[in-house]
Amino acid sequence: MDIYREVEKITKEMVAIPSVNGTPGEKDIGVYIENYLRSIPYFAEHPDLVIVKPLKEDALGRRNVFALLKGTKGTSNRTIILHGHTDTVGVEDFGILKEYAFDPDRLLQELPKVPLPEDVRKDLESGDYMFGRGCCDMQSGDAVYMAVARDLSTHLEDLDGNLLLSFNPVEENMHTGMIEAVDFLIEQREKNGLNYLMAINNDYTCPLYVGDTHQYIYTGTVGKLLPCFYILGKNSHVGQCFEGFDASMVAAELVKQINLNTLFCDAYDNEYSLPPSVLKMTDLKDFYNVQTAQEAFVYFNYFVHNASVEEIVDKLTTSAKNALIKVEEIIETESKNYYALAGMHYERLSYQPMVYTYAQVYAMAKANYEGDIDAMLDAYTESLQNSGTDSRDIAMLVTKKVTSYAKVKSPAIVLFFAPPYCPHNTLKYECPEENACLSELTELITEFGEEENLDYKILHFFPSLSDSSYLKVDDPPASRKLLMENFVKKDRLYPVDFDKIADLNVFAINFGTYGKDAHQWTERVYKPYTFGTLPKLVEKAIYRFLG
């Protein structure tokens, strides 16, 4: 079999299925994958080894698709998981080319007709790239697995162990496919005695800076938290603007303290996470008036490599305190200046700004509330979910209600966490077993790089969010406990069993497709590497660990 041509063919057919996150195409792509796998003679003879698991209560009928290849060289139950996501982001960014977003051949005809950045034009003219939504992120990565499965199914006598393929939807926002796959992976481990050596992901890789010529292998994935701040200020009429404590001003100062602040970059083994980015900042007024804001809401994307939740909470609460102090200082300074300009008597207003965690205000509210506060908050959360309210806003509204029952005085900030939480993980040199695997992997990649004349770099953390987060948790139990105490209504808003993931404990390596501009209209995959070299690397790794 010509694997290059097979990967190219599958990729093109998968891109043609508009599997945009949150659309019926996510089910369609799963059906395509299932049908392809069942067309492989090995699975035609063993149909029970292709397993489809519909997502629970999913209105779109999306499904996880699994397939198990059993080597016959020996009796080992060593197993490598090959996993990839099947959904894509939307195509609004394609503009006038939107109707061709899922047609790589037509895009090659239409792209020359529109203005293109010079590097994109060069790649287009080279003939070495396939364009189209999902071609790089990550239909071509899934295609590699499918072609490799077809190829290896005819050489099972060379494998002492198993391959478990896992194709999962809903990666581009809530990771639901992989989260639900955890139960299946544990079930298979117990039922068939599988010994999971590792998981390999093929999510996209790309240059990390202009002129970067490296190929990257990642031995883990970055973690993500969503720290949120409910801000309670003191409103005032704009005609008495110095008599209030504007929640919007506090929100703005909090963003200044945290957004893109490299002091929050988290380090492990000289690799640094990106700093936090603000994702939402808003006051909570729902109509126009001439009052300053009484309440505001801010949340951030917060990447993690190794820091404990204790460290992170300490940094965030310190920033919140500093924001309150800074706003109070500004109010005092500008009040003095104004009253001096106006020739009026100035009298300082005194505040006692406070910062709380959700766990603290919850404890205060529980002591004050007459009745079952948990039952009340559960009912409130359910009503908000039924109304279609965003999970982040539900967490804020619950925090607001708890803060009111806690009788918190303004000005104050309450720190809490909302979905999603993506655990960080990597092969750690401090752990002898993981370090041994890291050494073997390094040797494998070095040899392969020399064979293919490629300059590989092995890094710890895949820098984008990944389903690999749900196969292993490096956060220790005490850190997870603190997070869960401050994760608002996690059992209802984000019912993920992280203890179960910790029990699964499969480290995940990302080999990855290679291309450029994922999530952009110029998304493209580099065919020579992804269709030709990557399948060889995947097979070389399989034979190395299961040969």
Side-chain angles (χ1 to χ4, degrees), residues 355-371:
V355 174
Y356 303 91
T357 63
Y358 177 78
Q360 289 171 327
V361 293
Y362 171 79
M364 294 159 61
K366 190 171 185 178
N368 293 337
Y369 188 77
E370 294 182 4

Side-chain angles (χ1 to χ4, degrees), residues 164-355:
L164 179 57
L165 283 73
S166 177
F167 299 97
N168 314 108
V170 206
E171 187 266 358
E172 293 293 358
N173 55 4
M174 297 302 289
H175 305 275
T176 312
M178 180 53 78
I179 289 168
E180 292 195 13
V182 170
D183 283 335
F184 175 83
L185 295 174
I186 291 176
E187 173 192 303
Q188 290 297 303
R189 184 184 67 184
E190 306 307 320
K191 178 181 176 181
N192 296 313
L194 302 183
N195 172 24
Y196 297 127
L197 294 184
M198 67 180 72
I200 299 175
N201 193 359
N202 259 348
D203 215 338
Y204 80 96
T205 65
C206 59
L208 296 184
Y209 52 87
V210 175
D212 185 9
T213 59
H214 296 100
Q215 302 288 150
Y216 291 96
I217 303 293
Y218 299 95
T219 64
T221 188
V222 66
K224 173 206 172 95
L225 295 170
L226 197 80
C228 308
F229 298 87
Y230 168 64
I231 301 166
L232 181 61
K234 179 180 181 295
N235 63 2
S236 63
H237 191 283
V238 292
Q240 292 86 41
C241 55
F242 290 116
E243 296 177 13
F245 205 100
D246 185 2
S248 292
M249 191 174 179
V250 177
E253 188 59 41
L254 193 59
V255 170
K256 285 175 63 179
Q257 294 273 339
I258 297 174
N259 191 50
L260 304 184
N261 185 346
T262 53
L263 294 177
F264 286 87
C265 293
D266 184 26
Y268 175 77
D269 196 23
N270 292 316
E271 285 183 36
Y272 290 85
S273 67
L274 288 165
S277 298
V278 62
L279 296 179
K280 185 171 186 174
M281 179 178 71
T282 183
D283 66 43
L284 299 183
K285 293 165 66 172
D286 55 7
F287 56 89
Y288 170 79
N289 61 28
V290 288
Q291 289 181 314
T292 59
Q294 170 117 350
E295 302 164 295
F297 177 37
V298 183
Y299 58 75
F300 298 85
N301 184 86
Y302 195 118
F303 285 131
V304 187
H305 279 181
N306 195 51
S308 68
V309 175
E310 292 90 337
E311 295 174 74
I312 293 167
V313 167
D314 182 63
K315 281 186 173 182
L316 292 171
T317 52
T318 297
S319 290
K321 290 171 186 174
N322 290 340
L324 288 169
I325 291 168
K326 181 65 175 177
V327 168
E328 187 173 16
E329 289 174 349
I330 292 171
I331 292 171
E332 181 178 2
T333 299
E334 297 305 328
S335 296
K336 284 181 180 178
N337 291 342
Y338 175 75
Y339 286 111
L341 284 171
M344 298 179 185
H345 171 70
Y346 166 72
E347 188 168 327
R348 183 179 184 273
L349 294 175
S350 181
Y351 298 99
Q352 290 184 311
M354 295 291 292
V355 174

